[in-house]
Amino acid sequence: MSSSAQQTNVYDVVVVGGGINGAGIARDAAGRGLKVLLVEQGDLANYTSSASTKLVHGGLRYLEYYEFKLVQKALAEREVLMGIAPHIIWPLRFVMPHVKALRPAWMIRMGLFLYDHLGGRKKLAGSKGVNLQQHEAGVPLDDSLKKGFIYSDCWVQDSRLVVLNCMDVEARGGKVMPRTRCTDAERSADAWQVELTDTVSGQIQTVTSRAVINAAGPWVAKFLGEAMHRNDDKDVHLVKGSHIVVPSMFDHDASYLFQNTDGRVIFAIPYEQRFTLIGTTDVAYEGNPADAEASDEEIEYLCEAVNRYFKQPITPADVVWTYSGVRALYDESDEENVSAVSRDYSLDLDDSAAPVLSVFGGKITTYRTLARQAVDRVAPLLGAEITDWTGKVALPGGDMPNEDFDAYLAAIQQSRPWLPEAMAWRLVRNYGTAVETMLGEAGSLADLGEHFGSDLYEAELRYLAEYEWAMTGEDAIWRRSRIGLMLEPAERERVSAWFAGQNTKRATA
């Protein structure tokens, strides 16, 4: 460990990884009274957790792999998460056209029956059959598709879910440090000496922690070997999933789940009011997860998959944006089909000296249960209680009366009639009740400061910089929001220049 490092603070838990698992674990631990530090080498949700299909779902296709426990766990979480974050999580109806040659109707009906009943559904609507010749969802589809099925899942603003968990960590006395890499960790019987390197300034500091939780996502095994000097032989599969975004392919609120000829399923989802999100692929990946991007083959694959269903075909030339993320899937089987590798998670605890717990696998939908189980494993070693509290307390911005988004949006529009309707919807969908902090005493659009394009004003950027750790234009317009889709290249550059002009003070532990 560097001799230039200096002792600055002592923690109960250092969580390495600022994706959804690390953020959820840090929030859970902070709420149990533990002194928590979360560090992330990039921006919060910089990688995998901002590159999902944006769904809180049970995973209908996992039933084919007999993942009943995983599906049940995920289905039960949908309504819990809707309750604590009604601004960024909401119901979606999915239309699944039936293609007899791919899956028989009886199999789909049986799967949907299980999907309706495994998770104790109360709020979400159940599944049903639909005549596509008479339903609005059938209008953009090929005329050969006669019938289908409709079921429910939920949408989530994925990277915002990470940020909101981190905001709650600090509200509960913890510390969150993006752009801080854990470069070394030395273990003794009762503590870890953890070296942290600021990836912006290069500054090095050392903290002491009673426990370390490794939630480094696709870097989980690399972190164990390089920073923690452990050579555990874990069978971690790196899998890349890519998505494409195209101009809207239909004008209703339902989404589609399409069966593909290779046995996979493809989603087509209304996105940011003007677009359609299509994904995902499943490709074995080697290399640095930070460099993942959609290949030409993946883009072509997704276009071809949806073109089997829609009347109006798309080509790679129609794609306005792509993104890719790498997941670390933990599996001890000899399964070569990466789509069949379990999306469930595994927790590995070594308490032979100062505890270290590593998180393998997982998915956004089950992040809260993963976090609870992870903290439950280390809590007795740190004198903290075993409790399940995170599903009962709203995340920042989610404290809307009666969890009623529509009523709260109407109240905002009534109190601020100068806000354009679409802008009010976007702000409340992203920030919930925190929109009142953002707008402050503004009485007109002019009071929100410089206008950067679309409905992005300086007041939003200032809020993101002050409350949500945004340090660059990319942080603000591609992770804290997706308004980058609505901006011209020159407007995006102006946002980046605004952040470059801010004297952002870097925090220390």
Side-chain angles (χ1 to χ4, degrees):
M1 185 171 290
S2 170
S3 60
S4 65
Q6 296 183 347
Q7 183 77 26
T8 58
N9 223 325
V10 179
Y11 291 90
D12 293 315
V13 180
V14 168
V15 179
V16 178
I20 189 58
N21 289 337
I25 289 168
R27 180 194 185 218
D28 194 310
R32 301 196 206 192
L34 294 171
K35 188 174 182 182
V36 177
L37 170 65
L38 180 146
V39 295
E40 159 58 43
Q41 64 179 342
D43 182 27
L44 299 174
N46 206 133
Y47 305 108
T48 309
S49 292
S50 60
S52 77
T53 313
K54 326 299 181 192
L55 298 180
V56 168
H57 65 140
L60 182 61
R61 74 180 181 88
Y62 303 147
L63 292 173
E64 288 188 304
Y65 299 107
Y66 306 107
E67 292 265 18
F68 299 117
K69 183 179 178 181
L70 170 63
V71 174
Q72 181 180 36
K73 188 163 45 181
L75 288 172
E77 274 297 286
R78 296 178 305 179
E79 297 189 8
V80 174
L81 297 181
M82 283 172 59
I84 64 173
H87 50 325
I88 63 165
I89 300 175
W90 61 89
L92 277 183
R93 292 291 270 170
F94 286 82
V95 177
M96 183 179 183
H98 179 235
V99 178
K100 187 182 300 185
L102 297 178
R103 287 174 177 87
W106 68 262
M107 179 184 290
I108 297 173
R109 289 192 193 98
M110 180 174 290
L112 289 174
F113 177 83
L114 289 172
Y115 211 69
D116 280 345
H117 294 90
L118 274 176
R121 174 182 55 85
K122 296 179 181 177
K123 301 176 184 177
L124 295 171
S127 62
K128 64 180 183 179
V130 61
N131 182 340
L132 295 175
Q133 303 294 300
Q134 299 176 359
H135 194 278
E136 65 174 353
V139 174
L141 298 179
D142 189 275
D143 290 336
S144 66
L145 299 166
K146 306 297 184 184
K147 66 178 182 179
F149 302 88
I150 298 182
Y151 69 97
S152 294
D153 265 322
C154 296
W155 174 266
V156 60
Q157 310 275 46
D158 54 1
S159 50
R160 292 211 53 74
L161 184 64
V162 176
V163 171
L164 298 185
N165 272 273
C166 288
M167 291 172 71
D168 207 41
V169 170
E170 293 216 337
R172 297 176 186 280
K175 185 72 179 176
V176 175
M177 294 178 62
R179 293 180 168 86
T180 302
R181 180 179 291 119
C182 179
T183 43
D184 197 34
E186 294 184 359
R187 190 184 196 186
S188 65
D190 57 0
W192 288 89
Q193 299 298 310
V194 181
E195 180 184 89
L196 306 175
T197 301
D198 187 311
T199 60
V200 177
S201 69
Q203 178 183 352
I204 296 174
Q205 60 181 308
T206 303
V207 301
T208 299
S209 183
R210 297 167 64 198
V212 172
I213 296 181
N214 172 13
W219 287 274
V220 60
K222 183 177 181 180
F223 177 75
L224 277 172
E226 293 186 359
M228 307 195 82
H229 316 294
R230 296 165 58 89
N231 295 312
D232 298 14
D233 185 19
K234 298 296 183 184
D235 193 6
V236 176
H237 299 256
L238 293 185
V239 178
K240 179 179 66 165
S242 296
H243 298 76
I244 61 175
V245 175
V246 299
S248 291
M249 301 185 71
F250 46 91
D251 58 2
H252 55 78
D253 294 333
S255 300
Y256 294 95
L257 181 146
F258 297 139
Q259 304 172 75
N260 202 25
T261 53
D262 59 4
R264 301 201 68 255
V265 297
I266 302 295
F267 293 101
I269 305 170
Y271 191 56
E272 296 295 325
Q273 300 177 281
R274 299 187 202 171
F275 304 94
T276 298
L277 172 66
I278 299 168
T280 180
T281 60
D282 256 336
V283 181
Y285 185 79
E286 296 181 3
N288 186 349
D291 297 331
E293 59 183 25
S295 67
D296 292 342
E297 291 77 13
E298 287 177 291
I299 295 171
E300 187 69 38
Y301 169 88
L302 293 172
C303 289
E304 290 179 357
V306 298
N307 285 347
R308 295 188 182 99
Y309 289 86
F310 286 120
K311 291 176 183 173
Q312 185 65 41
I314 58 170
T315 71
D318 296 308
V319 175
V320 298
W321 185 45
T322 71
Y323 64 86
S324 302
V326 176
R327 292 158 288 175
L329 305 180
Y330 180 60
D331 188 70
E332 296 180 315
S333 71
D334 295 324
E335 181 61 64
E336 294 184 0
N337 177 7
V338 294
S339 293
V341 176
S342 176
R343 266 56 177 173
D344 211 348
Y345 53 81
S346 175
L347 305 175
D348 181 63
L349 173 66
D350 177 358
D351 59 357
S352 59
V356 52
L357 183 141
S358 295
V359 178
F360 297 89
K363 57 200 294 271
I364 282 181
T365 306
T366 52
Y367 90 89
R368 194 192 64 84
T369 54
L370 179 155
R372 174 175 54 80
Q373 292 170 12
V375 181
D376 281 352
R377 297 286 297 277
V378 299
L381 307 174
L382 303 176
E385 62 181 330
I386 302 295
T387 184
D388 182 7
W389 69 273
T390 55
K392 305 178 182 71
V393 181
L395 286 165
D399 54 339
M400 299 172 176
N402 302 314
E403 303 169 10
D404 191 333
F405 172 86
D406 290 333
Y408 183 76
L409 174 60
I412 288 293
Q413 291 174 307
Q414 183 176 11
S415 64
R416 293 172 172 83
W418 48 271
L419 268 182
E421 182 178 350
M423 180 177 178
W425 184 93
R426 183 183 71 82
L427 292 180
V428 178
R429 267 297 175 215
N430 278 278
Y431 307 106
T433 59
V435 74
E436 298 179 46
T437 299
M438 179 188 297
L439 298 176
E441 300 300 318
S444 68
L445 289 174
D447 292 338
L448 299 180
E450 184 179 353
H451 180 219
F452 288 88
S454 186
D455 56 19
L456 178 64
Y457 289 82
E458 187 173 6
E460 186 171 354
L461 300 185
R462 290 198 177 280
Y463 172 85
L464 294 174
E466 181 175 356
Y467 294 98
E468 296 195 2
W469 299 277
M471 290 184 62
T472 70
E474 186 173 329
D475 297 350
I477 66 175
W478 293 114
R479 281 185 288 275
R480 303 307 185 278
S481 73
R482 295 295 194 275
I483 199 170
L485 280 167
M486 314 295 185
L487 301 178
E488 297 297 327
E491 294 170 335
R492 296 174 199 157
E493 290 177 8
R494 285 175 53 214
V495 174
S496 295
W498 184 90
F499 275 98
Q502 303 302 301
N503 294 317
T504 306
K505 184 179 179 181
R506 300 288 288 137
T508 56

